[in-house]
C-alpha cells in the first residue's frame, strides 16, 4: 500500500437509488464535506464495469481508502471486496430508500438521510486502515484430542482422514470409553428394531492402524500453553515420562460418568445386589454373552425385570440431577430387549413418567412393544428387597394408584450422565458461599483436564450443571476458548449417535481454527477477519478491565502487568475496546475513532427545525441484519435516525454516547442481543457485559441534566423484522414528545 | 369348571396375555403408548357411566386388573363413533377392542347383568337368531319389562299412544306376539352362525399357538 492516504467515494445509482436520490448532490457532499480526493457516481456500481472503475482508481490513481455509497455492507460483499484497501459502506439502499416512502413530501428528509450516511462513510473510512492480519501466527497443524471414547476416536479419525495429524490422549489403559463396556448399542440404521453391535472394536482398530494418529494411553494433559496454531501441550504418562507436542487446535472429548447410584438407597441400590444401574446391566449382559442374564445374588436366570427411568434425574428437589440425560429411555428399551430377544417369557416392565425417545427411538419403542415389553407410566417411590424378590413400589399415574406394586427378580436404575468437565473455573474465582442450599449442584470435579495456562483458569468455562461451555444457540461446538472444542456428553447429555455427529462437526471447526490461525485471521464468528485488537501500551493504566472482561480469555498479563493479547484466541468482538477507560485499544478498521467520527459527521439541524436526530448503535449480528431485512420488506421507519453498525454491544464505549448527546443528538438507541440464562449473543457474554457497562449511563445523563429516556437500551433479535421499525417509530415519537435536546445550540 | 374359572386357571395372573389371545383385536393392547388421545376424543367421556376411558382400560389390562376390566360397564358405553380409531397415533383399532372386550366379558358371564346396552344387545341377538328376523313387538316388550313387571306396565302405558298410532297405520300386528313370521331358510341361518363360531374358535387357537 502506498504511504499516502487517498480517499475516494463512489455513489451508486442502480437499484432505484438514482431515481430516489440526487446523486450529484451526494457526490458534492462527499467532496465538499467528506473531503475525499475523488468522488464519482456510477449507474450500477456492483457490475463488472463499476467494480473495474474502482479497481482502476486503486491501480492508477493511488486510491487507498474506498467509500461506497450503495447497498448495505451485508450485500454485494463479493463484488466490493478490496482486501488491500480500507473500505467503508454507506447504506443508501436498505438503510434509506427502502425504508422511506417514495413520495414528494418525503423526498427532502430521505435525501438528508442519504447525505448524512455519505458524510458518515467518508469520516469512517478516513479513520480506518486496511487490516493486515495478526502477525503472531502459528503453524502447528496437529489436532489434540483429549479422551479416547467414541467421541474422541471419531474426532481423531475424521481429522486424520482430512489430512491433519492427531495426538490422542486417553487417561485409562485402553481406548473405547463407556461404549467399550456396552453389550450392544441402540440401533442407528433401518429398521431400528433390535440392539446393534457397538462398533467400538472397529473404531479402535482403525485408530491403531492409522499412522497419522499418535495415541498416548494412561496419559493426562499436564499443561496447555499458547493459542490456536501454537499450543504447546505437555502430556504425562503414568510411567512418568513427559512429552511435549505442538498443537494447532484441541478437542476435549472427556465424556461422562453414570450418576452415582449409591446416592439412591431408597431405590434399593447397595441394599440388594439385584438392583443395578444401566452400566451394571451391561456388565451382566456381557458376562451372559448371549445366554440368559443371571441374577447377581444367586446366579439364577432372571425371570422378571423392572427398569426405573429417571432414577436420580429430573429431580426438582435439588438432591439429584435436575436434568434429563436424554438417552436413557432408549437405553432401557435396548436393555429390555436383551431379555425379550433371548426369552419372550421374561417379564420386562419399564416404569417411566415420560418416555423420551429422540432420533429414531420411536420405532425402537414400538418394536419393544411388539416384543411384549410392558410400559407403565408410574413414578417409583422405592424398591424393597425381600425374600427372593424385589418389590417395586410406585404410583401408577394412569390409574392413579398410589400403592401399585411389582415383584421382580432384577431392578435396573436409569441414572443418567454426569460430565467429566474438569475444574469449574467460575467457582474457583468465587469465594464459597456458606449454607447455600436449594439450587441443585453437581459436584465439582477438582482435577483439571487441560491445565490451561490462561489467566482465566485451567479449563474451559462451564455452562450449566457442570456441562462445558457451548454456544448452544448458534454454534454448539464453540466454547469461550478459541480453538478448543468440547464434544460428546461432556457438552450436554447425549447418546453415541449424537456424540459421533458432534465429534465430526467439531473436528471441522477445529480444522478451520487451525487454518485461520496460520493466516492470522479470526476463526469465529468473524471468520476470516484480518483485523485484531491493538493496544497502545504507553497509554495503558493497567486497570485490567480488558483482561477481565474479554469473554474469551484472549488477554493475559505480561511480567510488567500490562495486557498481553493472544490474537489467535481473540474473536474480534471489541469488548476490550468498549471496556478500556483510556481508549487505547482499537482495530485497524473498527475503533473508538471510526465510530466516533461517524457520530460527529452527522449534520445536526438546529432546534427549531423540528428534525430531531437519533443515533442507533446496532449490533451487526442481529439488529443490523434485522434492520436490513426490514428494508427489504419496505417496512418504513423514521427518517430521523442515523444507524451505525457495531460489532457487539460489548464494544460500545460510553464516550460515543456522551459525544452524541453533547453534539446535540436528541436520543440514542442501543440495539443488542437479549442476554440471560437462556440467551447468548454471538460473543456469548458481549451484550451482557456491554449492558452492565451502560447501566451506569443514567448518571451521565443526570450530570448533563438530560432525561434518562434520551438513551434507550433495546433487545433486538434477527427475527424482529417487523418489530424493529415499530420500536424506532415509537422512540421517535417519544423524542418529539420530550422536545429537542438543549445541547443543539452549543 | 365355569368358562371364567377355566381362563383364570389357564392364564394365571397374565391378563394381558389372556386378552391378546382371547379377545378380538386384543393383540393390539400392548401397542398403546398411553397418550390419552382416545380418551380425549371419546364423546361419552363426560357420561357418568363411563368409568374408564379406553386408555385407562388398556393400562388396567397391562396392570393385570382382570376383575375390574371384565366387570366394567365402560366397554358397553362405546357408541362406535370411531373418533378414537381415527385419532390414535399408534393406529389401535380401539372401537373393535372395546367391543371385543365387551363380548369376551359377556361370554365369561362377567359383564354387568342389567347394563342397558348389554341387555338390549342380548335381547336383540336372541330374538333375531331364533327365526332369522327381528320380532319388533317381542323386542320392545322385552325392553319394557327389563326392570320388572310393574315398571313394564308403566312403560307400556307411557307408549300406548304410539302403539295405537302404529296399529292404525298397520305397522304393528298384535298377533306377532304368538310367534311371528320367520325367514325363509331358518336352518341356513343357524348353520351359518355355527360356522362363524367355528371359524372364530379356530382363529383364537391359531393366535394362542403363535
Ligand atoms: S475482548 Fe474480544 S476483541 Fe478484545 S481480546 Fe477479547 S476477544 Fe479479542
Ligand atoms: S390414542 Fe391410542 S396410543 Fe393413545 S392412549 Fe388411546 S389407544 Fe393408546
Ligand atoms: S368408538 Fe367408542 S371408545 Fe372410541 S371414541 Fe367412540 S365411543 Fe369412545
Amino acid at each position: 500500500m502506498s504511504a499516502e492516504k487517498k480517499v475516494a467515494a463512489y455513489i451508486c445509482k442502480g437499484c432505484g437509488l438514482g431515481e430516489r436520490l440526487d446523486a450529484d448532490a451526494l457526490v458534492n457532499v462527499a467532496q465538499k464535506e467528506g473531503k475525499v480526493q475523488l468522488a464519482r457516481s456510477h449507474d450500477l456500481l456492483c457490475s463488472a464495469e463499476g467494480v473495474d472503475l474502482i479497481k482502476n482508481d486503486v491501480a492508477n490513481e493511488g486510491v487507498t481508502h474506498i467509500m461506497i455509497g450503495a447497498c448495505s455492507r451485508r450485500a454485494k460483499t463479493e463484488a466490493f471486496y478490496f482486501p488491500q484497501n480500507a473500505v467503508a459502506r454507506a447504506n443508501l439502499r436498505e438503510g434509506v430508500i427502502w425504508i422511506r416512502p417514495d413520495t414528494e413530501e418525503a423526498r427532502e428528509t430521505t435525501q438528508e438521510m442519504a447525505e448524512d450516511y455519505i458524510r458518515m462513510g467518508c469520516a469512517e473510512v478516513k479513520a480506518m486502515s486496511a487490516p493486515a492480519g495478526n502477525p503472531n501466527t502459528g503453524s502447528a497443524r496437529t489436532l489434540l484430542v483429549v479422551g479416547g471414547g467414541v467421541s474422541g476416536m471419531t474426532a481423531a479419525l475424521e481429522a486424520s482422514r482430512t489430512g491433519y495429524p492427531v495426538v490422542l490422549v486417553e487417561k485409562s489403559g485402553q481406548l473405547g470409553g463407556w461404549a467399550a463396556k456396552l453389550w450392544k448399542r441402540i440401533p442407528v440404521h433401518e429398521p431400528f428394531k433390535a440392539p446393534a453391535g457397538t462398533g467400538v472394536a472397529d473404531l479402535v482398530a482403525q485408530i491403531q492402524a492409522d499412522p497419522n494418529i499418535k495415541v498416548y494411553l494412561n496419559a493426562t494433559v499436564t499443561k496447555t500453553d499458547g493459542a490456536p496454531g501454537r499450543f504447546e501441550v505437555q502430556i504425562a504418562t503414568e510411567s512418568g515420562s513427559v512429552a511435549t507436542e505442538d498443537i494447532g487446535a484441541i478437542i476435549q472429548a472427556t465424556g461422562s460418568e453414570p450418576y452415582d447410584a449409591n446416592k439412591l438407597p431408597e431405590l434399593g441400590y447397595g441394599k440388594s445386589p439385584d438392583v443395578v444401574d444401566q452400566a451394571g446391566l451391561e456388565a451382566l449382559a456381557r458376562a451372559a454373552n448371549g445366554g440368559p442374564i443371571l441374577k447377581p445374588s444367586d446366579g439364577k436366570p432372571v425371570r422378571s425385570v423392572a427398569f426405573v427411568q429417571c432414577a436420580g434425574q429430573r429431580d426438582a428437589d435439588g438432591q439429584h440431577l435436575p436434568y434429563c440425560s436424554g438417552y436413557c429411555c432408549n437405553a432401557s428399551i435396548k436393555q429390555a430387549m436383551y431379555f425379550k430377544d433371548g426369552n419372550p417369557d421374561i417379564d420386562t416392565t419399564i416404569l417411566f413418567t415420560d418416555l423420551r425417545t429422540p432420533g429414531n427411538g420411536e420405532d425402537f419403542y414400538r418394536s419393544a412393544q411388539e416384543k411384549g415389553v410392558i410400559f407403565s407410566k408410574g413414578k417409583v417411590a422405592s424398591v424393597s428387597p425381600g425374600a427372593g424378590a424385589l418389590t417395586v413400589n410406585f404410583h401408577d399415574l394412569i390409574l392413579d394408584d398410589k400403592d401399585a406394586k411389582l415383584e421382580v427378580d432384577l431392578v435396573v436404575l436409569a441414572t443418567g450422565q454426569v460430565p467429566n468437565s474438569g475444574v469449574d473455573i467460575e467457582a474457583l474465582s468465587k469465594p464459597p458461599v456458606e449454607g447455600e442450599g436449594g439450587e441443585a449442584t453437581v459436584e465439582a470435579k477438582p482435577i483439571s483436564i487441560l491445565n490451561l495456562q490462561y489467566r482465566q483458569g485451567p479449563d474451559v468455562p462451564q455452562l450449566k450443571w457442570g456441562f462445558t461451555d457451548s454456544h448452544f444457540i448458534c454454534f454448539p461446538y464453540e466454547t469461550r476458548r478459541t480453538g478448543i472444542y468440547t464434544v460428546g456428553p461432556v457438552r450436554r447429555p447425549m447418546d453415541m449417535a449424537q456424540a459421533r455427529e458432534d465429534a465430526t462437526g467439531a473436528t471441522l471447526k477445529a480444522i478451520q481454527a487451525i487454518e485461520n490461525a496460520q493466516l492470522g485471521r479470526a476463526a469465529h464468528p468473524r471468520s476470516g477477519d484480518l483485523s485484531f485488537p491493538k493496544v497502545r501500551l504507553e497509554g495503558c493504566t493497567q486497570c485490567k478491565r480488558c483482561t477481565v472482561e474479554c469473554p474469551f480469555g484472549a488477554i493475559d498479563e505480561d511480567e510488567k502487568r500490562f495486557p498481553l493479547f493472544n490474537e489467535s484466541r481473540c474473536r474480534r468482538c471489541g469488548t476490550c475496546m468498549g471496556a478500556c477507560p483510556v481508549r487505547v485499544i482499537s482495530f485497524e478498521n473498527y475503533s473508538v475513532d471510526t465510530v466516533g467520527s461517524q457520530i460527529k459527521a452527522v449534520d445536526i439541524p438546529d432546534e427549531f427545525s423540528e428534525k430531531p436526530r437519533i443515533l442507533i448503535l446496532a449490533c451487526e449480528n442481529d439488529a443490523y441484519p434485522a434492520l436490513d431485512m426490514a428494508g427489504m420488506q419496505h417496512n418504513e421507519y423514521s427518517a430521523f435516525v442515523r444507524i451505525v453498525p457495531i460489532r457487539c454491544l460489548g464494544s460500545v464505549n460510553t464516550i460515543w454516547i456522551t459525544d452524541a448527546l453533547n453534539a446535540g443528538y436528541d436520543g440514542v438507541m442501543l440495539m443488542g442481543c437479549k442476554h440471560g440464562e437462556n440467551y447468548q449473543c454471538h460473543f456469548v457474554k458481549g451484550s451482557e457485559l456491554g449492558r452492565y457497562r451502560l447501566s451506569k449511563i443514567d448518571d451521565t445523563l443526570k450530570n448533563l441534566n438530560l432525561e434518562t429516556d434520551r438513551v434507550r437500551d433495546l433487545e433486538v433479535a434477527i427475527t424482529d423484522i417487523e418489530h424493529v421499525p415499530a420500536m424506532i417509530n415509537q422512540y421517535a415519537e417519544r423524542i418529539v414528545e420530550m422536545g429537542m435536546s438543549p445541547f443543539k445550540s452549543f | 369348571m365355569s368358562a371364567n374359572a377355566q381362563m383364570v386357571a389357564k392364564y394365571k395372573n397374565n391378563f394381558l396375555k389372556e386378552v391378546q389371545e382371547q379377545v378380538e383385536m386384543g393383540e393390539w393392547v400392548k401397542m398403546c403408548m398411553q397418550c390419552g388421545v382416545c380418551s380425549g376424543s371419546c364423546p361419552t367421556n363426560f357420561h357418568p357411566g363411563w368409568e374408564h376411558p379406553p386408555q385407562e382400560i388398556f393400562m388396567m389390562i397391562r396392570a393385570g386388573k382382570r376383575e375390574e376390566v371384565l366387570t366394567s360397564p365402560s366397554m358397553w358405553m362405546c357408541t362406535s363413533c370411531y373418533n378414537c380409531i381415527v385419532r390414535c397415533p399408534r393406529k389401535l383399532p380401539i372401537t373393535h377392542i372395546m367391543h371385543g372386550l365387551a363380548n369376551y366379558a359377556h361370554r365369561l358371564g362377567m359383564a354387568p347383568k342389567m347394563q342397558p346396552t348389554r341387555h338390549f344387545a342380548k335381547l336383540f341377538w336372541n330374538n333375531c337368531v331364533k327365526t332369522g328376523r327381528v320380532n319388533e313387538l317381542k323386542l320392545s316388550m322385552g325392553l319394557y319389562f327389563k326392570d320388572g313387571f310393574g315398571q313394564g306396565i308403566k312403560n307400556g302405558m307411557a307408549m300406548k299412544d304410539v302403539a295405537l298410532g302404529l296399529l292404525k297405520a298397520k305397522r304393528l300386528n298384535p298377533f306377532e306376539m304368538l310367534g311371528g313370521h320367520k325367514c325363509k331358510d331358518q336352518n341356513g341361518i343357524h348353520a351359518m352362525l355355527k360356522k362363524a363360531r367355528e371359524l372364530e374358535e379356530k382363529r383364537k387357537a391359531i393366535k394362542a399357538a403363535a
Side-chain angles (χ1 to χ4, degrees):
Chain A
M1 210 197 309
S2 63
E4 213 175 302
K5 188 196 278 185
K6 183 163 182 181
V7 188
Y10 299 89
I11 314 294
C12 178
K13 292 197 280 189
C15 290
L17 289 165
E19 292 86 62
R20 298 280 305 276
L21 301 170
D22 180 347
D24 294 338
L26 296 178
V27 168
N28 214 8
V29 168
Q31 264 163 345
K32 296 261 163 56
E33 298 176 56
K35 303 235 167 19
V36 300
Q37 286 97 320
L38 191 74
R40 301 181 196 272
S41 62
H42 189 275
D43 282 338
L44 195 57
L45 199 59
C46 61
S47 65
E49 194 196 307
V51 173
D52 280 345
L53 172 81
I54 302 174
K55 282 192 180 146
N56 194 41
D57 285 348
V58 171
N60 303 323
E61 301 283 334
V63 168
T64 56
H65 288 53
I66 302 167
M67 201 295 294
I68 294 168
C71 39
S72 162
R73 57 163 65 189
R74 299 173 47 80
K76 302 284 175 197
T77 47
E78 274 159 36
F80 300 138
Y81 176 63
F82 307 104
Q84 307 303 324
N85 306 87
V87 182
R89 305 269 305 257
N91 187 355
L92 305 182
R93 191 180 70 175
E94 288 84 343
V96 181
I97 62 163
W98 282 357
I99 52 96
R100 297 301 304 146
D102 186 7
T103 58
E104 208 38 56
E105 48 293 6
R107 217 175 152 82
E108 181 189 312
T109 49
T110 307
Q111 178 73 17
E112 281 172 7
M113 215 177 178
E115 288 177 8
D116 268 346
Y117 280 125
I118 297 296
R119 291 182 190 103
M120 290 158 79
C122 293
E124 182 188 13
V125 80
K126 279 195 261 175
M128 287 162 93
S129 54
N134 145 38
N136 295 324
T137 55
S139 54
R141 291 170 62 77
T142 306
L143 180 71
L144 170 71
V145 178
V146 186
V150 162
S151 326
M153 289 195 291
T154 307
L157 287 168
E158 294 287 348
S160 161
R161 283 191 203 125
T162 322
Y164 292 80
V166 176
V167 168
L168 179 60
V169 176
E170 164 58 41
K171 77 165 184 283
S172 79
Q174 62 181 31
L175 296 173
W178 274 108
K181 298 183 180 136
L182 301 183
W183 166 236
K184 285 188 175 160
R185 65 175 295 191
I186 298 155
V188 283
H189 294 298
E190 278 280 0
F192 307 101
K193 279 194 187 306
T198 61
V200 171
D202 177 47
L203 276 179
V204 174
Q206 286 184 49
I207 298 265
Q208 282 164 348
D210 193 330
N212 228 358
I213 303 175
K214 192 190 235 176
V215 181
Y216 289 90
L217 292 178
N218 296 312
T220 50
V221 172
T222 47
K223 190 175 169 196
T224 303
D225 208 349
R230 52 178 182 85
F231 285 117
E232 218 183 272
V233 178
Q234 264 180 21
I235 299 158
T237 55
E238 234 167 41
S239 60
S241 66
V242 177
T244 304
E245 297 277 359
D246 289 325
I247 296 297
I250 299 171
I251 284 187
Q252 179 180 337
T254 42
S256 65
E257 267 163 42
Y259 182 63
D260 185 1
N262 284 308
K263 293 179 187 157
L264 301 164
E266 69 277 17
L267 297 182
Y269 196 86
K271 288 189 187 157
S272 161
D274 294 336
V275 179
V276 295
D277 63 1
Q278 286 185 326
L281 188 83
E282 294 294 340
L284 292 179
R286 284 173 69 87
N289 198 20
I293 294 175
L294 307 176
K295 279 201 284 177
S297 58
D298 56 11
K300 289 196 187 128
V302 173
R303 288 160 306 159
S304 56
V305 51
F307 294 85
V308 179
Q309 296 311 107
C310 308
Q313 298 191 72
R314 302 175 64 205
D315 178 35
D317 303 333
Q319 247 184 315
H320 303 295
L321 303 181
Y323 52 86
C324 160
S325 291
Y327 78 99
C328 11
C329 282
N330 274 333
S332 287
I333 291 173
K334 174 192 76 173
Q335 295 185 336
M337 286 190 192
Y338 291 173
F339 293 96
K340 279 284 180 196
D341 287 346
N343 176 3
D345 287 335
I346 299 175
D347 288 330
T348 54
T349 309
I350 295 183
L351 292 161
F352 65 95
T353 51
D354 306 279
L355 207 69
R356 295 174 172 178
T357 54
N360 288 79
E362 199 59 26
D363 286 346
F364 197 41
Y365 171 20
R366 200 172 290 139
S367 166
Q369 287 181 301
E370 273 158 10
K371 290 175 181 178
V373 178
I374 306 256
F375 290 83
S376 285
K377 192 172 166 79
K379 188 149 181 56
V380 177
S382 64
V383 175
S384 26
L390 301 159
T391 308
V392 183
N393 304 298
F394 66 102
H395 177 186
D396 186 318
L397 295 168
I398 298 292
L399 307 179
D400 198 20
D401 178 359
K402 294 207 172 63
D403 300 311
K405 287 187 189 342
L406 194 65
E407 297 244 315
V408 288
D409 285 347
L410 189 77
V411 167
V412 183
L413 306 177
T415 55
Q417 292 172 327
V418 179
N420 287 325
S421 44
V423 176
D424 181 358
I425 60 170
E426 264 173 57
L428 274 187
S429 61
K430 268 185 231 145
V433 189
E434 260 169 64
E436 195 182 77
E439 177 76 352
T441 49
V442 176
E443 270 160 53
K445 299 244 165 22
I447 300 162
S448 170
I449 286 170
L450 295 176
N451 285 298
L452 291 167
Q453 305 296 301
Y454 284 25
R455 188 191 170 278
Q456 288 78 4
D459 278 306
V460 297
Q462 296 178 5
L463 197 66
K464 209 172 182 180
W465 302 322
F467 290 95
T468 57
D469 212 9
S470 156
H471 193 292
F472 58 87
I473 292 186
C474 303
F475 315 102
Y477 312 124
E478 297 290 343
T479 69
R480 264 169 286 165
R481 299 293 174 260
T482 306
I484 305 176
Y485 301 87
T486 65
V487 305
V490 69
R491 173 172 95 64
R492 66 165 177 78
M494 62 175 81
D495 65 15
M496 266 163 82
Q498 291 174 332
R500 296 202 62 172
E501 211 174 272
D502 226 39
T504 310
T507 305
L508 292 174
K509 296 306 279 180
I511 289 171
Q512 277 179 13
I514 290 173
E515 291 296 330
N516 278 311
Q518 228 164 55
L519 299 170
R521 311 193 303 194
H524 164 88
R526 299 180 55 84
S527 179
D529 185 1
L530 285 166
S531 75
F532 60 93
K534 289 184 168 178
V535 54
R536 202 163 45 78
L537 284 183
E538 310 88 83
C540 170
T541 59
Q542 299 190 326
C543 72
K544 290 201 188 54
R545 288 206 199 150
C546 57
T547 46
V548 172
E549 285 201 21
C550 172
F552 304 104
I555 316 174
D556 290 327
E557 276 154 39
D558 67 10
E559 313 83 62
K560 293 191 205 126
R561 318 198 57 145
F562 279 114
L564 180 67
F565 282 74
N566 291 277
E567 294 83 357
S568 310
R569 295 185 201 161
C570 165
R571 303 272 167 103
R572 281 73 169 167
C573 61
T575 300
C576 49
M577 174 178 124
C580 181
V582 287
R583 301 185 288 279
V584 294
I585 300 173
S586 62
F587 298 80
E588 285 137 321
N589 54 5
Y590 184 64
S591 63
V592 172
D593 201 20
T594 60
V595 175
S597 55
Q598 288 184 73
I599 294 171
K600 285 175 207 141
V602 169
D603 185 32
I604 306 279
D606 67 32
E607 57 191 302
F608 311 107
S609 66
E610 292 182 7
K611 284 178 183 164
R613 286 292 174 256
I614 299 163
L615 174 68
I616 297 182
L617 296 173
C619 153
E620 66 179 12
N621 301 301
D622 268 60
Y624 202 68
L627 286 160
D628 271 359
M629 286 188 277
M632 288 173 206
Q633 301 199 353
H634 297 261
N635 295 338
E636 287 168 18
Y637 57 79
S638 167
F640 300 148
V641 298
R642 301 293 178 261
I643 302 171
V644 178
I646 49 167
R647 288 192 179 181
C648 176
L649 210 53
S651 72
V652 171
N653 199 298
T654 36
I655 188 83
W656 294 337
I657 299 168
T658 21
D659 276 1
L661 294 170
N662 277 319
Y665 281 86
D666 304 282
V668 179
M669 294 174 92
L670 299 155
M671 293 186 177
C673 301
K674 195 174 174 120
H675 70 268
E677 205 188 4
N678 295 317
Y679 297 90
Q680 289 171 322
C681 84
H682 264 55
F683 298 105
V684 190
K685 297 265 172 208
S687 67
E688 185 179 340
L689 291 165
R691 289 219 162 85
Y692 177 72
R693 208 181 294 138
L694 295 165
S695 63
K696 314 239 156 31
I697 205 79
D698 280 6
D699 295 337
T700 316
L701 289 163
K702 274 182 207 130
N703 288 341
L704 291 170
N705 234 335
L706 284 172
E707 301 86 340
T708 48
D709 219 7
R710 293 274 176 202
V711 178
R712 221 180 237 193
D713 170 17
L714 294 159
E715 284 170 349
V716 177
I718 196 159
T719 45
D720 283 335
I721 304 164
E722 308 276 331
H723 195 43
V724 77
M727 288 179 181
I728 292 177
N729 293 337
Q730 275 162 17
Y731 189 56
E733 275 168 36
R734 171 80 186 111
I735 291 291
V736 170
E737 215 174 273
M738 259 190 296
M740 297 293 215
S741 158
F743 282 87
K744 293 204 192 271
S745 29
F746 292 99
Chain B
M1 213 182 342
S2 73
N4 188 35
Q6 269 176 29
M7 287 306 167
V8 172
K10 180 166 182 200
Y11 292 103
K12 307 216 169 55
N13 292 325
N14 202 335
F15 185 42
L16 176 64
K17 194 164 181 224
E18 179 178 347
V19 168
Q20 291 186 154
E21 289 176 6
Q22 298 296 330
V23 173
E24 191 79 29
M25 302 279 181
E27 67 277 16
W28 277 94
V29 170
K30 63 174 189 270
M31 296 309 290
C32 167
M33 65 171 183
Q34 293 296 310
C35 67
V37 164
C38 51
S39 308
S41 313
C42 183
T44 61
N45 208 356
F46 303 103
H47 190 285
W50 197 216
E51 269 184 339
H52 307 293
Q55 172 203 15
E56 224 169 272
I57 292 276
F58 300 154
M59 198 61 226
M60 288 161 77
I61 293 172
R62 296 190 202 169
K65 302 201 182 288
R66 186 175 191 275
E67 180 86 16
E68 269 182 83
V69 171
L70 294 178
T71 57
S72 167
S74 296
M75 299 85 80
W76 299 95
M77 299 297 292
C78 171
T79 65
S80 308
C81 72
Y82 282 77
N83 251 352
C84 52
I85 288 203
V86 171
R87 292 187 178 166
C88 172
R90 277 289 167 85
K91 300 196 169 70
L92 266 76
I94 303 162
T95 319
H96 304 268
I97 305 171
M98 287 313 216
H99 297 335
L101 283 168
N103 178 271
Y104 185 59
H106 165 75
R107 292 222 186 138
L108 295 186
M110 299 279 282
K113 285 278 148 3
M114 289 320 265
Q115 204 283 338
T117 330
R118 182 189 181 218
H119 182 74
F120 174 75
K122 223 165 73 181
L123 277 180
F124 182 90
W125 179 257
N126 291 341
N127 181 317
C128 162
V129 296
K130 212 167 175 182
T131 60
R133 265 181 191 277
V134 179
N135 184 317
E136 287 175 352
L137 193 58
K138 281 187 183 165
L139 182 65
S140 21
M141 285 303 156
L143 267 184
Y144 290 174
F145 289 92
K146 167 178 173 282
D147 297 319
F149 187 75
Q151 185 62 37
I153 297 291
K154 267 190 209 156
N155 291 343
M157 289 312 283
M159 295 298 284
K160 85 173 182 313
D161 289 349
V162 178
L164 286 173
L166 284 169
L167 262 178
K168 257 192 223 154
K170 296 202 171 20
R171 287 269 161 261
L172 186 75
N173 180 357
F175 295 107
E176 285 282 307
M177 208 59 199
L178 304 173
H181 59 292
K182 305 172 170 111
C183 76
K184 274 185 197 143
D185 184 8
Q186 210 177 336
N187 288 338
I189 292 264
H190 289 154
M192 204 165 81
L193 289 170
K194 194 166 158 255
K195 184 78 193 165
R197 250 191 214 226
E198 271 170 38
L199 289 174
E200 189 187 335
E201 287 312 320
K202 213 159 145 191
R203 201 166 60 222
K204 268 191 199 165
I206 293 171
K207 217 159 60 161

